[in-house]
Amino acid sequence: MFDTLNRRFLEPYGSTEGRTPNFTRLARQTARFTRCYAGSMPCMPARRELHTGRYNFLHRSWGPLEPFDDSVPELLRAEGVYTHLVTDHYHYWEDGGLTYHNRFDSYEFFRGQEGDGWKGHVADPAVPDTNNAKNPRTRRNWVNREYQRTEEFHSQTLTIDAGLEFLEQNRAEDDWLLQIECFDPHEPFFTYDKYLELFESGYRGRHFDWPAYKKVVESAAEAEHARNGYLALLAMCDFSLGRVLDFMDRHRMWDDTMLMVCTDHGFLLGEHGWWGKSVQPWYDENIHTPLFLWDPRHPAAGETRESLVQTIDLGPTMLEFFGLEPTPDMQGKPLASVLADDNMIHEAVLFGSAGGHVNVTDGRYVYMRNTVHPDNQPLFDYTLMPTHMHAPFSPAELRGAEFVEGFGFTKGVPVLKVPGWTFGNPYPFGTMLFDLETDPGQQSPLSDPALELRMAELLVKLMRDTEAPPEQYERLGLPATGPVTAEHLLADAQRDLVHAAARPPARRADVAADAIVATVPIRKLLEIPAARAAILPLLPRLDTPTGRTMLAYLTVIDVAAMHPDLDPAAVHHLEAELNGVV
């Protein structure tokens, strides 16, 4: 498993930019799925789906496995299948991921990715002139890079080394599951010159390999450099994949071993004018994922499968391979019949992140349903594990909690109902409807009430099947019971929002080189009462848990680029205000 693997940069999915010969080799040996979608987003919600085989984004935000969750590795362990995890995905040892790895019999971690607090340096590390953000996570990353100066010490390399060690030790045994999970090509795009030189030479601009999740405000040359950094890291991932394929070839493991190569989501590299994920809708580049699968019982080397499949199907597929049935709470279906006959197992599938758009696709049309309320309320988390990515829920959050009756999938267990929040408000983006067959880049939202009604009906059916809590229907303006009708449609009513969200942001090149909005970290500005009074009404996302811990290290122009409804002229007006008080 790779994190942040964008299918559009893989040669077997038609890319002419990526250098991925081992993914091409993989496609010759496996079935390649053309309509695979992620579901609950982003990283840990996707991994919860891998374990549980069901959606979770309608009920809670990023967090651990819950006490009532089914876990595929744990179910396999109970039936005598040995399960082992090797990974450098450091979210597993943060507060928001702390219950996943212990579901395996054994696991091995490799340190140093992204903001992993690995090596202790009191003195600040040397940092080049960079467009990367300057915050505690990036500081830790600069320290970590000092211990990965050559490829043999990179955590990706060490993860693959450990996976191959397990295979060498156990290849003659039966009944085992190995999960080799690489954090790459997730940002930052830290790799080595031999890979970057495949894509560029002579770049003389500022260092830039870690785009923040916002609209593109950098120069064209800087943006191309960051994009090339992703391609370079992807080429390194391709080399690592080749090492695993070499082992399988050398030991004829294709005869009796299932191989699944997948990801959690993609990454925007300037498409739609954006970097990253999560703060914008889940466009096709991020949610339409690659999947390669080899099952020796249903050999399909070099073939494609067109049926609609999803992350929730991967856990049930592993259970079925070992002769086990999916549990009653699993919504996913084993992929054996798809491999055998390309059978349809889903009419449509859901995807989204907590508090964002709730989306549905039938494999051709995509319906991105927005909230009807500018404040994106009501919204709640349902949990018995109240932790965010980096910390437990705060006392202030938990004061509003109450114990409530659970859902069918909580197995009779009550849960905490806690006022929820989301990283970004989806309201300014509007509701959108796309036809991927005629508009694969999702540039031209449709106005088609009859089609929207059909897609809204599919959406509501899947929400009801998932036991979506009642406030989700209220937030989205959809009926919890009864039929969906024309009065529930939103795409045409929110057309102006869609157009406004597409406006280009204020860019660095639009302001003076020493402009306050482009040079002074927001946390410094917020220390000045008059500056704080001017900034917070304009950028309300700063007054959230993530805003206070992560965004405050950015500049105004960076955070403004996360707000699609913000008129770029407002940034210039703020610069004038700040000049009078800073």
Side-chain angles (χ1 to χ4, degrees):
M1 180 178 181
F2 295 96
D3 194 303
T4 312
L5 187 64
N6 190 322
R7 71 194 289 276
R8 297 190 181 207
F9 293 107
L10 300 179
E11 290 174 314
Y13 283 98
S15 174
T16 57
E17 293 181 81
R19 303 286 182 88
T20 58
N22 287 303
F23 278 98
T24 299
R25 174 182 166 196
L26 174 69
R28 289 196 297 265
Q29 185 62 51
T30 64
R32 178 177 61 88
F33 287 73
T34 62
R35 288 187 175 91
C36 180
Y37 283 80
S40 302
M41 290 286 96
C43 305
M44 297 320 292
R47 283 153 183 81
R48 190 175 172 200
E49 285 193 351
L50 281 173
H51 281 251
T52 66
R54 67 174 296 115
Y55 304 120
N56 57 73
F57 74 96
L58 294 171
H59 297 90
R60 77 150 294 163
S61 53
W62 179 302
L65 283 174
E66 298 280 351
F68 46 77
D69 278 344
D70 298 321
S71 166
V72 167
E74 194 160 58
L75 291 167
L76 291 173
R77 285 175 64 185
E79 296 298 323
V81 177
Y82 192 92
T83 58
H84 185 65
L85 169 69
V86 296
T87 186
D88 62 346
H89 196 282
Y90 80 108
H91 293 313
Y92 280 120
W93 51 91
E94 293 181 316
D95 290 336
L98 50 80
T99 54
Y100 292 85
H101 54 276
N102 280 310
R103 310 284 69 76
F104 293 82
D105 283 292
S106 52
Y107 52 86
E108 193 167 1
F109 289 154
F110 298 93
R111 305 295 301 272
Q113 282 284 7
E114 201 195 52
D116 182 16
W118 178 30
K119 297 292 187 179
H121 281 211
V122 176
D124 286 337
V127 177
D129 183 30
T130 181
N131 281 343
N132 294 2
K134 299 177 180 65
N135 59 46
R137 282 198 311 151
T138 57
R139 182 194 185 279
R140 291 193 293 268
N141 182 256
W142 286 112
V143 171
N144 293 344
R145 294 187 195 208
E146 294 183 16
Y147 295 87
Q148 302 179 76
R149 293 183 181 275
T150 59
E151 190 172 353
E152 65 184 308
F153 296 113
H154 194 288
S155 62
Q156 180 193 142
T157 303
L158 297 175
T159 297
I160 299 298
D161 288 348
L164 295 176
E165 178 185 29
F166 178 92
L167 291 176
E168 182 62 48
Q169 176 68 35
N170 299 290
R171 60 186 171 83
E173 306 296 331
D174 291 325
D175 295 330
W176 51 262
L177 169 70
L178 169 64
Q179 184 168 322
I180 303 176
E181 184 176 339
C182 296
F183 189 73
D184 292 326
H186 192 291
E187 74 282 358
F189 310 138
F190 169 56
T191 185
Y192 303 96
D193 287 346
K194 71 175 186 178
Y195 297 110
L196 190 57
E197 288 166 359
L198 296 172
F199 303 97
E200 71 175 22
S201 62
Y203 174 73
R204 295 291 182 267
R206 301 181 80 198
H207 177 274
F208 185 34
D209 64 7
W210 194 345
Y213 298 171
K214 58 181 177 60
K215 288 189 175 183
V216 178
V217 299
E218 295 78 14
S219 71
E222 290 168 337
E224 182 181 10
H225 176 63
R227 188 180 178 95
N228 287 336
Y230 176 86
L231 292 170
L233 185 55
L234 177 59
M236 182 177 169
C237 293
D238 182 81
F239 176 77
S240 291
L241 172 66
R243 296 177 62 201
V244 177
L245 298 181
D246 288 345
F247 189 97
M248 292 191 68
D249 287 347
R250 188 162 58 249
H251 298 288
R252 298 180 57 85
M253 295 186 69
W254 303 101
D255 295 344
D256 63 357
T257 307
M258 172 182 280
L259 175 66
M260 182 185 297
V261 178
C262 62
T263 191
D264 49 1
H265 51 69
F267 193 87
L268 291 176
L269 291 160
E271 299 88 354
H272 309 280
W274 283 88
W275 295 116
K277 59 181 187 288
S278 299
V279 300
Q280 65 285 97
W282 287 95
Y283 291 113
D284 195 70
E285 292 87 350
N286 275 353
I287 206 70
H288 191 174
T289 55
L291 175 64
F292 304 86
L293 181 59
W294 169 256
D295 183 339
R297 302 169 304 166
H298 306 288
E303 300 179 13
T304 59
R305 292 294 181 265
E306 307 292 332
S307 295
L308 184 62
V309 303
Q310 200 169 27
T311 304
I312 58 172
D313 300 320
L314 303 185
T317 298
M318 289 183 273
L319 291 177
E320 188 274 337
F321 183 76
F322 287 104
L324 305 180
E325 293 290 327
T327 69
D329 291 328
M330 292 184 174
Q331 296 173 288
K333 310 293 183 185
L335 296 179
S337 68
V338 182
L339 281 173
D341 300 307
D342 211 1
N343 285 340
M344 184 178 80
I345 59 172
H346 299 292
E347 180 184 12
V349 295
L350 289 178
F351 60 87
S353 53
H357 287 78
V358 179
N359 313 273
V360 64
T361 184
D362 62 2
R364 174 176 177 176
Y365 299 105
V366 174
Y367 184 46
M368 298 176 161
R369 179 74 182 203
N370 194 21
T371 176
V372 296
H373 305 302
D375 65 358
N376 194 32
Q377 292 296 317
L379 186 64
F380 294 92
D381 277 332
Y382 295 87
T383 182
L384 289 175
M385 298 291 294
T387 61
H388 296 303
M389 181 192 299
H390 299 125
F393 284 25
S394 69
E397 291 175 282
L398 292 173
R399 286 188 199 105
E402 58 178 327
F403 264 114
V404 299
E405 183 178 351
F407 303 87
F409 61 86
T410 69
K411 302 175 176 61
V413 177
V415 292
L416 276 175
K417 180 181 180 182
V418 187
W421 69 279
T422 184
F423 189 71
N425 186 347
Y427 182 78
F429 290 95
T431 292
M432 293 175 284
L433 178 66
F434 293 103
D435 180 352
L436 293 178
E437 186 172 295
T438 61
D439 182 22
Q442 294 177 312
Q443 298 299 308
S444 303
L446 299 174
S447 173
D448 188 333
L451 176 61
E452 183 181 0
L453 180 61
R454 183 176 78 82
M455 298 303 291
E457 289 172 339
L458 289 172
L459 178 66
V460 167
K461 179 182 183 300
L462 287 167
M463 288 178 65
R464 293 173 183 173
D465 291 345
T466 307
E467 297 185 74
E471 69 272 7
Q472 287 284 6
Y473 299 95
E474 181 181 348
R475 184 176 74 93
L476 300 171
L478 290 168
T481 61
V484 183
T485 67
E487 69 181 21
H488 296 113
L489 304 185
L490 271 185
D492 287 344
Q494 294 189 339
R495 184 78 50 186
D496 289 346
L497 293 175
V498 175
H499 292 317
R503 289 179 304 195
R507 296 177 177 269
R508 294 183 183 279
D510 300 334
V511 298
D514 61 349
I516 294 169
V517 294
T519 58
V520 181
I522 287 173
R523 64 191 179 94
K524 296 291 187 184
L525 296 175
L526 294 182
E527 294 171 358
I528 304 169
R532 183 183 184 87
I535 292 169
L536 287 184
L538 196 65
L539 304 172
R541 193 171 296 162
L542 291 169
D543 198 24
T544 67
T546 299
R548 289 187 287 272
T549 58
M550 294 168 61
L551 303 186
Y553 289 86
L554 301 173
T555 66
V556 166
I557 210 161
D558 290 320
V559 178
M562 299 176 182
H563 291 71
D565 53 336
L566 186 64
D567 187 336
V571 176
H572 298 283
H573 180 72
L574 180 61
E575 172 69 14
E577 281 193 78
L578 294 176
N579 269 308
V581 298
V582 176

